[in-house]
Amino acid sequence: MNRTLLAAAAALAIAAPSWAQETIKVGLILPLSGPFADYGMQIGNGARLYMATHGDTVAGKRIELIVKDDTGTAPELTKRLAQELVTNSHADVLAGFGMSPGALATAAVATQAKKPMVVMNAAASVLTSKSPYVVRVSHTLPQLSQPMAKWALANRIDKVYTLVADFAPGLDAGAAFKHAYEAGGQKLLGEVRVPVSNVDFGSYIQRIKDAKPNAVFVFLPPGEGTIAFMKTWAERGMDKAGVKLLGTVDLVDDSIVEAIGKPAVGAITAGHYSTAHESPLNREYVAAYAKAYGTKMRPNYMSVAGYDGMAAIYTALNKTGGDTDGGKFVGALKGAKWDSPRGTVAIDPDTRDVTQTVYIRRTEQREGGIYSIEFDKFADQKAF
């Protein structure tokens, strides 16, 4: 880690450009308004912090971010913004993508324009198969859900019900958990899907409670709906009934866990990053993030994906000598590996997806707040 991390965070604004330098334009498409605006803010914060730390010049060329807001809920807008970035702004690299529908819609643009597309959050499994120019640095839901199911099996947790959001990542999460859980000899007690924008969970939780499960596996995108679910879970007495709450990183995301409050305590989740991750690099990252953006906002897994997305871009450009040709750029990332605040990450040369450690965490009340504390792990998990 660059020893000037904290100093860079304090002076986050990137230095004025040298007009003699050639510029590489990175079109960063993020949800900066609407229900998923926190996604875009966190990803953008991580990306800018990486640039503040490592400088805005790679292979003698200046990096310029061109940020666009796609609201996260309109795939055709995401696609149109990508087309405009390529055609009008002459973007060399497309990046960002908070939600899977928008990223899936944009893959065709990357293919047609032969532009690298660095995905910093969207987690639908099929995404990298939609274009040879897509590289993902975040995660897939099966990459998290399968270890969660294996942990449940190892700990003899039976009578499991699942509840997932009814869109591609949620369906991926539910299917992967079910496949791994049933492959281990258990059967699900029941399954339910909910609209992705749902905030009223009373009837769903009551139906699950009436089935008398021992545990419930949940995937919901972090936000208002997740907070509502967790509060309803406690109100319906699920925790007092001894029902274990299992989920992915999204369920107790660092950006919302304090808003959830006490109902989050005791949740067991599988995730690839926690603010509380114990490593020197992460401690530096968390301190730099706080210095740059304030102590009221924690870095979460999306911020780290933004940070690592820029790490991927810099890695590729260093290898190509600044050449942004789509084939050369993607080729340079196949098999690439680097140290991240979440641990070591690598790009699978066959799938162009991320390989990383998935941690099993318990949400606990600690001095200073509520955190997801890692106590087990599944190393070198490939995305699928």
Side-chain angles (χ1 to χ4, degrees):
M1 184 67 168
N2 191 314
R3 292 172 63 186
T4 62
L5 180 56
L6 293 178
L12 190 58
I14 305 302
S18 168
W19 298 111
Q21 285 181 303
E22 184 179 346
T23 299
I24 293 174
K25 297 180 179 180
V26 177
L28 194 61
I29 304 176
L30 299 171
L32 296 170
S33 60
F36 303 106
D38 187 67
Y39 290 28
M41 178 176 59
Q42 288 276 8
I43 295 168
N45 284 352
R48 285 186 286 270
L49 188 52
Y50 186 90
M51 292 181 68
T53 305
H54 296 82
D56 68 341
T57 302
V58 182
K61 300 181 180 182
R62 190 176 69 87
I63 305 298
E64 176 187 350
L65 294 182
I66 305 174
V67 182
K68 299 291 183 180
D69 175 18
D70 71 348
T71 74
T73 59
E76 288 306 312
L77 173 59
T78 310
K79 182 178 181 179
R80 177 170 60 79
L81 290 172
Q83 290 170 328
E84 291 175 356
L85 281 165
V86 170
T87 303
N88 301 335
S89 301
H90 307 290
D92 300 290
V93 180
L94 298 172
F97 307 103
M99 299 293 284
S100 293
L104 289 166
T106 303
V109 177
T111 300
Q112 184 177 14
K114 298 182 179 180
K115 297 290 185 181
M117 178 174 163
V118 179
V119 175
M120 297 176 176
N121 185 58
S125 294
V126 298
L127 184 51
T128 57
S129 71
K130 296 301 181 181
S131 171
Y133 298 101
V134 173
V135 177
R136 177 162 39 198
V137 300
S138 51
H139 67 292
T140 68
L141 268 302
Q143 190 178 35
L144 307 183
S145 301
Q146 186 184 73
M148 188 74 264
K150 290 181 177 179
W151 183 87
L153 287 165
N155 287 271
R156 299 181 179 179
I157 298 175
D158 60 359
K159 296 182 181 179
V160 177
Y161 215 106
T162 65
L163 180 148
V164 301
D166 193 8
F167 76 134
L171 301 182
D172 282 350
F177 183 93
K178 180 179 181 178
H179 177 77
Y181 191 66
E182 295 191 344
Q186 293 285 358
K187 291 289 185 183
L188 292 179
L189 192 61
E191 304 171 69
V192 65
R193 299 174 182 177
V194 301
V196 69
S197 58
N198 184 70
V199 294
D200 183 0
F201 291 93
S203 62
Y204 297 110
I205 292 177
Q206 189 60 50
R207 185 195 316 173
I208 293 171
K209 186 177 182 180
D210 291 343
K212 302 186 185 309
N214 290 328
V216 180
F217 171 79
V218 177
F219 168 76
L220 296 168
E224 183 181 356
T226 310
I227 296 170
F229 171 85
M230 296 292 280
K231 291 186 179 297
T232 306
W233 174 272
E235 289 167 1
R236 294 295 172 116
M238 297 294 280
D239 52 343
K240 292 182 175 61
V243 182
K244 293 184 183 298
L245 183 57
L246 312 178
T248 62
V249 61
D250 317 79
L251 190 63
V252 287
D253 174 50
D254 285 297
S255 69
I256 63 170
V257 72
E258 293 292 348
I260 295 170
K262 189 177 179 181
V265 174
I268 305 294
T269 55
H272 51 297
Y273 177 73
S274 167
T275 304
H277 175 65
E278 281 292 338
S279 76
L281 185 55
N282 186 53
R283 285 191 287 273
E284 289 183 23
Y285 178 71
V286 171
Y289 193 97
K291 194 163 189 176
Y293 305 114
T295 57
K296 292 184 178 180
M297 185 188 309
R298 291 185 194 171
N300 67 353
Y301 69 91
M302 296 180 202
S303 78
V304 170
Y307 187 90
D308 284 331
M310 294 310 298
I313 291 169
Y314 279 44
T315 295
L317 293 174
N318 274 318
K319 288 186 177 182
T320 66
D323 192 335
T324 59
D325 172 81
K328 293 178 182 178
F329 184 103
V330 172
L333 284 177
K334 291 181 178 180
K337 181 183 292 187
W338 63 89
D339 290 329
S340 161
R342 62 179 120 168
T344 300
V345 297
I347 302 301
D348 187 301
D350 297 321
T351 65
R352 290 165 281 110
D353 229 324
V354 65
T355 297
Q356 59 191 328
T357 297
V358 174
Y359 306 92
I360 306 299
R361 309 99 49 81
R362 181 179 291 104
T363 306
E364 300 179 6
Q365 179 77 55
R366 294 279 179 105
E367 185 177 353
I370 302 172
Y371 294 93
S372 293
I373 307 301
E374 299 159 2
F375 66 90
D376 203 350
K377 65 182 180 181
F378 292 77
D380 299 324
Q381 291 292 296
K382 290 189 175 184
F384 59 96

